[in-house]
Amino acid sequence: MADAADVLSAEADDHFHDECGVFGIFGRQDAAAIVTLGLHALQHRGQEAAGIVSYDGSQFHVERHVGLIGDTFTKQRVIDSLKGNRAIGHTRYATTGGAGVRNIQPFFAELADGGFAVAHNGNLTNAMTVQRALQKQGSIFSSTSDTETILHLVATSKERDLNARFIDAVRQVEGAFSLVALSSKKMIGCRDPLGIRPLVLGDLDGAWILASETCALDIIGARFVRDLKPGEMVIVTSKGIESIFPFEPQKPRFCIFEYVYFARPDSSVEGRNVYDVRKRIGAELALESPVDADIVVPVPDSGTPAAIGFSQAAGLPFELGIIRNHYVGRTFISPGDSIRHMGVKLKHNANRRMIEGKRIVLVDDSIVRGTTSQKIVQMVRDAGAKEVHMRIASPPTRASCFYGVDTPEKSKLLASRMTIEEMAEFIRVDSLGFLSMNGLYRAVGEASRNDEQPQYCDACFSGQYPTRLADLEGTDNVRSLSLLATGGL
Ligand code: SF4
């Protein structure tokens, strides 16, 4: 039986979680302060720990802490400690078990020719395989993170200079990686050949910036230059910026879930404004799955843009029938048994006046385990909703992600074990509709999904992974990779 902590944390949080955001700047005196602001804008990509590494011309400085950026990166730690005109940072989400200070990024090591730090958004699908090979040659790993593998590959490469050693390293890894690295002389950015996770280039008065999303440029008034291309590596030095393509070209497979949920709605990724895409998703959903209802209500905040799009396309009023409490910390999950039975609503509360006696269309971004949906539906019914019709702004999530997203095991995904009718019964709605795969592709600007060669990664919906999953081969243990991804091994 689940304990109170399980019940309440599930109520507060039943989503896929992007695990990381990265940010780097080269050539600006207050570099660490800028990185702190950039990471603050990327906090939605990971709330549990963060780190910054800076270089001041003679030595590296490292700060890595558990907690939110705003709480942990104080003036003393940023302004006084992290000196230098170049710095990189990382914010991470991690599940319990295996998470800890040793897994906080950026990873830093003194290599033969100087210090080197690396921060990673994504997940390597052959990290365990490569790690075992390195361990046989004598490498010792100090964390359970796949990212440390890259550091070891750079350290042990026989190539003559850092660029060549970095290329040698990234050519040996598979999966999703948007990397930002720092040495005494350069900052390096690199996207995997499929471009699964985002990485953008910006400029702040002549200082180059690398960031996971454009919202991290906006916060400091930096100019968006462009997305890094899939398979591109940029090298920033005091002489300027150089771009190279060290991988065999492949058809890009950007993560389509970034548009559905991970990226912030005010960001533009791969040339598209996320808010616009989410509204188009809602409009497609209204066309595909119309409802005879009185109002459209989002499950805030993630369902809001799609609900606006649904309401506009369906010609139904949009109402905030559920209010979200934004001050739910992940630590506030341990009340005693007696409180648990009160049906504590930590994160969402029904706005009874808008809901009572109405037939409502409830719009959410996705259904993962179904626990949150079940509670929210019960909550709006308790507030007097006459009918509850749920519409989901993505296809059913049926498979785990191995590319840097914390996902439950496949068996825990509601859609992997139930039909849509069974899911509707489980969450107790009058009707349930999901966006079709082609509807999602239309919303991101494609005519339809190319089933022979999909234009995006959509593996959590389709089960078709765009890379080999080397660490799974021969083990039959999907969870091993999942645990590695989340620092659980
Ligand atoms: S499996 Fe899903 S969440 Fe993971 S990268 Fe692919 S589309 Fe994104």
Side-chain angles (χ1 to χ4, degrees):
M1 194 176 118
D3 63 15
D6 288 338
V7 170
L8 289 176
S9 57
E11 188 273 336
D13 216 348
D14 183 26
H15 276 107
F16 279 14
H17 286 275
D18 197 308
E19 286 180 351
C20 307
V22 293
F23 189 97
I25 185 164
F26 191 98
R28 172 99 187 185
Q29 262 326 311
D30 44 5
I34 301 280
V35 173
T36 306
L37 290 167
L39 293 180
H40 177 72
L42 297 172
Q43 192 80 83
H44 60 290
R45 298 183 79 87
Q47 296 95 46
E48 297 200 349
I52 298 177
V53 174
S54 70
Y55 181 70
D56 67 5
S58 60
Q59 68 179 80
F60 284 87
H61 306 275
V62 182
E63 290 280 346
R64 304 192 303 164
H65 301 281
V66 172
L68 297 173
I69 298 286
D71 295 339
T72 53
F73 279 81
T74 57
K75 174 185 172 298
Q76 189 193 10
R77 282 174 179 165
V78 177
I79 313 290
D80 302 345
S81 306
L82 291 162
K83 297 190 188 310
N85 74 348
R86 61 201 69 173
I88 64 169
H90 184 272
T91 182
R92 82 185 292 253
Y93 173 85
T95 55
T96 51
V101 173
R102 68 194 178 125
N103 280 345
I104 302 176
Q105 297 188 33
F107 283 107
F108 173 77
E110 290 290 351
L111 307 187
D113 53 359
F116 186 70
V118 63
H120 173 201
N121 176 205
N123 185 63
L124 307 180
T125 50
N126 68 338
M128 288 167 82
T129 311
V130 174
Q131 268 188 27
R132 281 192 202 109
L134 285 165
Q135 280 162 336
K136 279 188 192 144
Q137 292 162 25
S139 285
I140 297 165
F141 284 82
S142 63
S143 78
T144 54
S145 164
D146 59 328
T147 310
E148 198 183 356
T149 310
I150 295 169
L151 205 58
H152 278 265
L153 288 170
V154 173
T156 54
S157 171
K158 303 278 186 289
E159 297 291 339
R160 65 196 183 291
D161 62 38
L162 181 64
N163 286 0
R165 284 203 293 280
F166 188 85
I167 291 169
D168 188 26
V170 292
R171 279 183 178 156
Q172 293 179 62
V173 294
E174 296 169 5
F177 50 92
S178 280
L179 300 169
V180 179
L182 186 72
S183 74
S184 61
K185 294 200 173 61
K186 58 188 72 173
M187 177 171 77
I188 298 173
C190 184
R191 270 181 98 185
D192 64 75
L194 298 174
I196 294 174
R197 303 253 80 87
L199 191 62
V200 300
L201 185 66
D203 162 83
L204 182 65
D205 305 328
W208 289 105
I209 294 173
L210 291 161
S212 292
E213 290 182 36
T214 58
C215 64
L217 304 177
D218 297 340
I219 190 173
I220 48 168
R223 181 174 67 93
F224 168 64
V225 177
R226 62 180 176 83
D227 293 285
L228 254 70
K229 295 191 177 69
E232 183 178 9
M233 172 174 159
V234 293
I235 302 127
V236 180
T237 64
S238 48
K239 294 199 184 99
I241 188 165
E242 185 193 349
S243 161
I244 54 175
F245 289 84
F247 307 100
E248 284 290 314
Q250 293 185 43
K251 285 261 181 210
R253 298 288 294 274
F254 183 65
C255 165
I256 206 163
F257 217 120
E258 290 277 352
Y259 288 116
V260 172
Y261 176 70
F262 303 138
R264 236 171 71 163
D266 52 338
S267 283
S268 286
V269 289
E270 295 292 292
R272 293 191 176 84
N273 174 262
V274 174
Y275 179 74
D276 277 349
V277 172
R278 287 188 190 157
K279 280 211 315 184
R280 282 204 296 276
I281 283 175
E284 288 286 344
L285 194 53
L287 289 175
E288 287 185 351
S289 233
V291 189
D292 189 13
D294 301 313
I295 55 170
V296 178
V297 171
V299 177
D301 291 326
S302 50
T304 303
I308 293 171
F310 192 108
S311 123
Q312 289 173 352
L316 291 172
F318 169 92
E319 297 290 0
L320 292 178
I322 297 171
I323 303 301
R324 179 180 162 186
N325 182 338
H326 287 91
Y327 306 100
V328 181
R330 290 181 63 82
T331 49
F332 183 53
I333 54 171
S334 307
D337 230 31
S338 57
I339 294 177
R340 175 158 64 97
H341 293 298
M342 287 163 56
V344 177
K345 299 178 191 77
L346 280 182
K347 193 170 177 182
H348 295 114
N349 190 28
N351 186 2
R352 178 178 286 273
R353 207 182 91 58
M354 294 322 311
I355 284 177
E356 204 160 20
K358 306 253 176 65
R359 299 170 300 164
I360 70 170
V361 185
L362 203 54
V363 180
D364 205 352
D365 62 278
S366 56
I367 293 180
V368 180
R369 296 175 188 81
T371 45
T372 302
S373 307
Q374 207 179 41
K375 284 166 194 286
I376 284 176
V377 168
Q378 188 59 49
M379 186 178 72
V380 295
R381 286 203 188 281
D382 291 346
K386 200 158 84 187
E387 291 174 19
V388 183
H389 302 272
M390 195 143 199
R391 294 295 178 268
I392 301 298
S394 58
T397 42
R398 295 197 168 97
S400 300
C401 174
F402 300 111
Y403 303 116
V405 170
D406 177 46
T407 335
E409 285 172 58
K410 188 169 185 232
S411 62
K412 300 239 167 72
L413 298 171
L414 201 63
S416 78
R417 56 192 169 86
M418 289 188 190
T419 63
I420 292 178
E421 293 69 34
E422 287 166 344
M423 290 169 80
E425 204 172 310
F426 177 79
I427 59 177
R428 295 190 283 270
V429 284
D430 295 286
S431 73
L432 174 65
F434 288 83
L435 185 65
S436 70
M437 192 74 101
N438 278 333
L440 180 55
Y441 271 75
R442 280 194 297 275
V444 295
E446 302 287 339
S448 63
R449 181 179 193 261
N450 178 346
D451 292 336
E452 298 297 308
Q453 205 166 48
Q455 304 91 319
Y456 286 85
C457 176
D458 54 28
C460 48
F461 308 122
S462 65
Q464 283 179 265
Y465 294 94
T467 67
R468 206 166 67 103
L469 300 176
D471 288 346
L472 292 185
E473 287 165 14
T475 66
D476 259 352
N477 185 2
V478 174
R479 191 149 167 75
S480 66
L481 190 58
S482 171
L483 283 169
L484 182 68
T486 56
L489 280 180

